[in-house]
Amino acid sequence: MANSTEAQKPQNPKKNKKKGATLDTFYRAKVQNTEEIEDDTQENAPKPSKGNGNSPQTHEEFESEMTKKMEAFWEEKWEIMQKKFTHLQNQFDQSEKENQALKARIRQLEDNNRVKEQELIKQSQNTKKLEENIKYLTNKVTDLENRGRRDNLRIIGLSEKPEINTKLNNMIQDIIKENCPEILEQGGNTATDRAHRTPSTLNPQKTTPRNVIAKFQSYQTKEKILQEARKRQFRYKGMPIRVTQDLASSTLNDRKAWNMIFRKARELGLQPRISYPAKLTIYFPGKVWAFNKIEDLQLFAKKRPELCGKFDTKKQRARNT
């Protein structure tokens, strides 16, 4: 056991030598790296100026270099901004020119519009005058037509038989004999110049007979027959017929517009009558009232409690439908 212990002792110095060599190598490498770093730092450090070699002057050069770089940077930015500003200025000038052109165009359009408005006013005034003239001339022509028909009588409801159509003049004389023989007894001139159907052609789809127009030679005889026809129902061979004044178609239409109100006024005992050309007259109360338009009569009725609501044509049409 002692021998084995002595044999192991020489091995420890070798291990210590290796350990010492390793530490020396480590510290030696560290010192060498530190020196290399210092050398690199000295090489990369800013060189002193040729003047006096002080470090403050080196800082001033650094600031000067940075100032130059900043100046160059802002000069470049300034040039870019100037170019953009110039471009915007050109666009603004172009827009201003276009704006001025548009303003001039708008002024021109306003002037043209003003001229057209004045022309339209003149045209509307001329149109109004033309409408008034047309209305006046239409009324004048209608009045002349009515006056040209003053010797005529219109016979409604006479049968459409061939033998009657060929002998209309004789038929009219028979109607006078049957309904107002006193005219013949008084020696009145009942002769007619002509008698015809209207319209001239028969419409097969129309079931009612065409009217007969008879022109009398004597206006006084025609008026006497018309007065008798207003008093009672005329007949021809037992068939009821109606005898009225022959008027222009427009006047007849105006008279037809009074039909519903005329019947209502008769029911109320107002003694209605249609006078020339298409005027309604009533007797209320103890006084004769004349109306040219239906609206005038309706306004008159609204102010009278006895007639209020009696001549509302819209309500009457709704009830009939």
Side-chain angles (χ1 to χ4, degrees):
M1 295 293 295
N3 291 331
S4 62
T5 305
E6 291 177 0
Q8 291 177 357
K9 288 182 180 180
Q11 293 178 357
N12 293 330
K14 291 181 180 180
K15 291 182 180 180
N16 293 331
K17 287 181 181 180
K18 289 182 180 179
K19 186 174 181 181
T22 301
L23 292 173
D24 293 338
T25 304
F26 171 76
Y27 285 115
R28 198 175 294 116
K30 186 175 181 181
V31 171
Q32 186 176 358
N33 291 334
T34 302
E35 292 175 354
E36 290 177 357
I37 291 171
E38 290 179 355
D39 294 338
D40 292 337
T41 303
Q42 290 179 0
E43 290 178 358
N44 295 329
K47 296 180 181 180
S49 62
K50 296 180 181 181
N52 52 9
N54 295 328
S55 59
Q57 194 168 359
T58 303
H59 181 69
E60 291 177 357
E61 289 180 355
F62 177 75
E63 288 183 351
S64 176
E65 184 178 356
M66 292 300 295
T67 302
K68 290 179 180 179
K69 289 182 179 180
M70 293 296 291
E71 289 177 353
F73 173 78
W74 287 114
E75 286 179 358
E76 182 179 358
K77 294 294 184 183
W78 177 253
E79 290 178 358
I80 295 172
M81 291 177 67
Q82 279 187 332
K83 290 180 180 180
K84 289 183 178 181
F85 178 77
T86 304
H87 179 67
L88 292 174
Q89 185 67 33
N90 294 334
Q91 288 183 343
F92 177 78
D93 294 340
Q94 184 67 23
S95 299
E96 187 67 22
K97 291 179 181 178
E98 294 177 355
N99 188 25
Q100 294 297 330
L102 289 173
K103 287 182 178 180
R105 181 62 177 168
I106 290 171
R107 284 194 295 269
Q108 183 179 1
L109 291 173
E110 288 178 349
D111 294 338
N112 294 337
N113 189 33
R114 193 177 297 107
V115 173
K116 289 181 179 179
E117 286 180 354
Q118 294 176 355
E119 292 178 355
L120 286 174
I121 292 172
K122 292 180 180 178
Q123 290 179 359
S124 62
Q125 292 175 351
N126 294 333
T127 302
K128 188 176 180 180
K129 290 180 180 178
L130 289 174
E131 289 177 351
E132 292 176 354
N133 292 335
I134 291 172
K135 185 178 180 180
Y136 170 77
L137 293 174
T138 302
N139 294 333
K140 193 72 175 177
V141 170
T142 302
D143 182 65
L144 290 173
E145 185 178 356
N146 289 330
R147 293 181 183 278
R149 295 170 180 259
R150 64 185 304 180
D151 295 333
N152 299 352
L153 284 179
R154 182 180 291 264
I155 303 171
I156 304 169
L158 194 63
S159 177
E160 281 272 3
K161 293 181 179 180
E163 62 273 14
I164 293 178
N165 293 336
T166 56
K167 300 177 181 179
L168 290 175
N169 290 324
N170 295 334
M171 175 213 57
I172 293 171
Q173 296 300 321
D174 294 339
I175 291 174
I176 296 173
K177 290 178 183 179
E178 184 177 352
N179 295 277
C180 45
E182 62 275 7
I183 296 177
L184 295 174
E185 294 175 358
Q186 295 173 3
N189 182 12
T190 59
T192 56
D193 286 337
R194 59 183 176 274
H196 65 277
R197 293 275 184 179
T198 179
S200 59
T201 57
L202 178 63
N203 185 1
Q205 296 180 353
K206 194 172 182 180
T207 58
T208 58
R210 292 174 293 171
N211 297 343
V212 175
I213 306 298
K215 180 175 176 61
F216 287 80
Q217 294 180 357
S218 172
Y219 173 76
Q220 289 77 10
T221 301
K222 188 262 322 181
E223 282 294 315
K224 290 179 181 179
I225 296 171
L226 188 60
Q227 290 176 4
E228 294 296 327
R230 288 170 180 167
K231 295 177 182 178
R232 60 183 180 272
Q233 177 73 57
F234 270 32
R235 293 181 178 272
Y236 176 70
K237 293 183 179 181
M239 298 297 294
I241 60 174
R242 189 157 60 95
V243 179
T244 63
Q245 174 68 47
D246 181 36
L247 297 168
S249 58
S250 59
T251 306
L252 290 175
N253 291 331
D254 293 339
R255 288 194 169 199
K256 286 180 181 179
W258 288 105
N259 286 346
M260 189 177 295
I261 292 178
F262 186 89
R263 290 193 294 268
K264 189 65 178 178
R266 179 177 288 176
E267 292 175 4
L268 296 173
L270 301 178
Q271 304 177 16
R273 182 180 175 183
I274 303 294
S275 59
Y276 181 83
K279 184 186 298 183
L280 176 70
T281 59
I282 61 174
Y283 189 76
F284 176 85
K287 185 178 180 181
V288 177
W289 301 84
F291 305 95
N292 292 318
K293 296 180 180 180
I294 296 176
E295 293 78 8
D296 297 338
L297 174 62
Q298 291 175 342
L299 185 62
F300 173 82
K302 286 181 180 179
K303 296 179 180 179
R304 272 74 182 175
E306 305 93 328
L307 303 178
C308 185
K310 299 295 180 65
F311 295 101
D312 193 345
T313 56
K314 293 182 179 179
K315 291 183 179 179
Q316 292 177 8
R317 288 194 185 99
R319 291 173 185 172
N320 294 333
T321 55

